[in-house]
Amino acid sequence: MFNPFERMIAFRYLRARKGERFVSVIAIFSLVGIALGVATLIIVMSVMNGFRQELLGRILGLNGHMSIASAQAGNLPDYGPLTERIRTLPGVVSATPLVEGQVLLTSEGGGASGGLARGIRPEDMAARRIIADNIRAGRLADFTGDDVVMIGTRMAARLGLTIGDRLTIISPQGRTTVLGTVPRLRAYRVVAMFEVGMNEYDSTFVFLPMAAAQTFFQTGDAATQIEVFVEDPLRARSVNTAIRAALGRPLRILDWQDANSSFFNAVKVERNVMFLILTLIIIVAAFNIVSSLIMLVKDKGRDIAVLRTMGATSGAVMRIFLLCGASVGVLGTAIGFLLGLVFCLNIENIRQFIQSLSGTELFSAEIYFLTQLPAVVDPNEVIQVVLMGLGLSLLATLYPSWRAARTDPVVMLRNE
């Protein structure tokens, strides 16, 4: 597309000589602007992708893809046959009966915190890999008996608990006596601590063996719900329909899309808004290319006239200035692409380094739910950002190049 003569002239114009420094400085600012815009867009999109993926993985890994409860807001006394029937359905990976309830937690040191107590069978807990693979203290094998619990590391830190300490669980649903309603409470021994990496779970969830939870919540031999994991979380609603048809009884089934719809919709809207806002950085840099090229065309008016009188066509002149602007855009996009990828691959180390320098916490787990800053690079999005950077850069060169090609050499030489 560009012959050697056009490339030679274009690259000569890009090298600033004495008296032409200002135009070169504007071109450098344009290059830096495009590089920062592309890099920032890649980094922010990757962080948003990582944020969504990590939250989705932890939410679904701990809560299941859908929960099944009684339609009359009661318990499920026949949870055993129901669980086995659900496990045989196509698309279902596992089904786990649970006993769940809101509780108040206190420690011997005087700390107190609200929490969610879950009763689960020890064999089902061993199969829950997000918990079993993230035991930070104690042993999962000790999760048996009627007086043991397993808690998150952040709850342990908040209440000052270690392995072997006693955690008192208080249920708001107390027992009725002649003196009124007395809260139901019992002390349990901490045998293990887990850390799934999501602050809400590590600081809130308490796991008990199912028999102990049934005794504490006085459900008898019944479960409050059944958690179901499916092969494809995106097809959870079709499995929901199959479960209703197979069981043939009124049940309350809530899948993860309904339970977390507002949260993930908010993440999606924020991601789209951030994409639009950061695209403006690239657009501003593209306008810098326009201004630098217009100044370059004005500064090289006499050179353009000489080239035209020597036989250069208007198309050749246009291609020379297209190459000038495109070089800035391509180089800036390439630098931004590499900078964005390097930043994403080392984002957690960079965060720790900045925190150590500033002495402030840049990514609070209490606010963002996660203990580490995630980044997942989507190749399709990166390609889209790179193409957008190149496209805007090329579009920015069209008008100045067209003006250069329309320059009348006679008028320009007469004015000179």
Side-chain angles (χ1 to χ4, degrees):
M1 181 177 180
F2 303 99
N3 59 44
F5 168 74
E6 294 166 353
R7 291 196 297 269
M8 179 192 69
I9 298 298
F11 292 137
R12 182 176 179 180
Y13 284 171
L14 287 174
R15 294 193 299 268
R17 294 178 297 175
K18 186 177 180 180
E20 301 173 356
R21 300 289 182 184
F22 186 67
V23 176
S24 180
V25 168
I26 295 179
I28 292 174
F29 283 153
S30 303
L31 185 147
V32 172
I34 291 177
L36 291 179
V38 170
T40 304
L41 201 49
I42 291 175
I43 293 168
V44 171
M45 291 297 101
S46 299
V47 170
M48 296 297 290
N49 288 337
F51 189 72
R52 184 182 186 279
Q53 180 172 309
E54 288 293 321
L55 286 178
L56 186 60
R58 284 167 169 75
I59 289 173
L60 300 187
L62 200 62
N63 289 323
H65 300 145
M66 65 179 66
S67 63
I68 302 174
S70 173
Q72 288 77 29
N75 297 325
L76 297 171
D78 56 341
Y79 67 88
L82 280 176
T83 301
E84 295 302 322
R85 180 72 183 92
I86 293 171
R87 286 174 177 171
T88 62
L89 296 177
V92 175
V93 175
S94 65
T96 305
L98 299 174
V99 175
E100 184 178 278
Q102 295 284 343
V103 294
L104 175 65
L105 308 169
T106 61
S107 63
E108 295 176 352
S113 174
L116 183 68
R118 277 189 171 183
I120 182 172
R121 295 180 296 195
E123 60 271 21
D124 292 330
M125 176 58 73
R128 192 69 61 91
R129 304 315 307 173
I130 193 172
I131 298 293
D133 294 341
N134 291 285
I135 301 297
R136 297 292 181 257
R139 298 191 310 159
L140 188 60
D142 296 332
F143 186 67
T144 57
D146 60 353
D147 67 337
V148 299
V149 293
M150 185 164 59
I151 64 175
T153 54
R154 289 186 173 268
M155 177 180 290
R158 179 185 300 174
L159 300 180
L161 296 171
T162 59
I163 299 300
D165 289 347
R166 290 281 174 174
L167 173 68
T168 301
I169 300 180
I170 305 173
S171 173
Q173 299 176 349
R175 60 182 185 274
T176 303
T177 65
V178 293
L179 299 177
T181 301
V182 178
R184 189 165 56 251
L185 58 89
R186 181 174 177 181
Y188 294 85
R189 180 168 51 91
V190 178
V191 297
M193 297 179 187
F194 62 87
E195 183 177 346
V196 299
M198 189 168 179
N199 178 71
E200 183 179 359
Y201 296 155
D202 293 337
S203 62
T204 305
F205 277 59
V206 177
F207 290 97
L208 299 82
M210 188 164 182
Q214 289 173 334
T215 301
F216 180 78
F217 288 108
Q218 296 182 349
T219 62
D221 188 17
T224 59
Q225 63 176 318
I226 299 174
E227 274 191 349
V228 179
F229 287 86
V230 299
E231 294 177 354
D232 185 2
L234 299 179
R235 300 186 60 188
R237 289 181 177 173
S238 62
V239 179
N240 183 335
T241 304
I243 291 175
R244 291 183 184 276
L247 298 182
R249 54 182 285 187
L251 293 169
R252 182 165 52 88
I253 303 178
L254 183 68
D255 61 49
W256 69 271
Q257 292 171 315
D258 293 330
N260 304 282
S261 59
S262 59
F263 180 78
F264 285 107
N265 285 338
V267 172
K268 182 179 180 181
V269 170
E270 182 178 357
R271 180 178 174 278
N272 293 335
V273 171
M274 290 299 294
F275 182 87
L276 293 175
I277 292 174
L278 294 173
T279 301
L280 296 177
I281 299 178
I282 303 178
I283 295 176
V284 170
F287 277 111
N288 286 336
I289 294 179
V290 174
S291 61
S292 64
L293 277 182
I294 289 177
M295 294 183 66
L296 183 62
V297 170
K298 187 174 181 60
D299 185 67
K300 299 297 182 181
R302 183 172 56 184
D303 292 9
I304 295 172
V306 172
L307 289 174
R308 291 297 305 276
T309 57
M310 293 176 61
T313 63
S314 59
V317 173
M318 184 173 183
R319 287 192 294 271
I320 288 172
F321 287 94
L322 276 174
L323 188 56
C324 289
S327 299
V328 174
V330 171
L331 185 59
T333 302
I335 293 175
F337 167 74
L338 295 176
L339 182 62
L341 291 185
V342 171
F343 198 99
C344 289
L345 294 177
N346 300 276
I347 191 166
E348 183 60 23
N349 295 330
I350 294 172
R351 180 181 77 94
Q352 297 291 348
F353 175 72
I354 296 175
Q355 284 188 169
S356 64
L357 288 180
S358 62
T360 58
E361 188 175 11
L362 300 179
F363 189 74
S364 175
E366 286 76 12
I367 298 176
Y368 298 103
F369 303 108
L370 302 177
T371 56
Q372 290 187 341
L373 187 62
V376 176
V377 178
D378 185 348
N380 294 328
E381 286 187 348
V382 172
I383 293 173
Q384 180 182 355
V385 172
V386 169
L387 292 179
M388 183 177 65
L390 294 175
L392 290 175
S393 301
L394 293 176
L395 287 175
T397 64
L398 292 180
Y399 175 72
S401 302
W402 176 78
R403 286 293 303 270
R406 291 289 302 273
T407 300
D408 189 343
V410 175
V411 175
M412 185 59 64
L413 290 175
R414 183 176 65 236
N415 293 335
E416 288 293 337

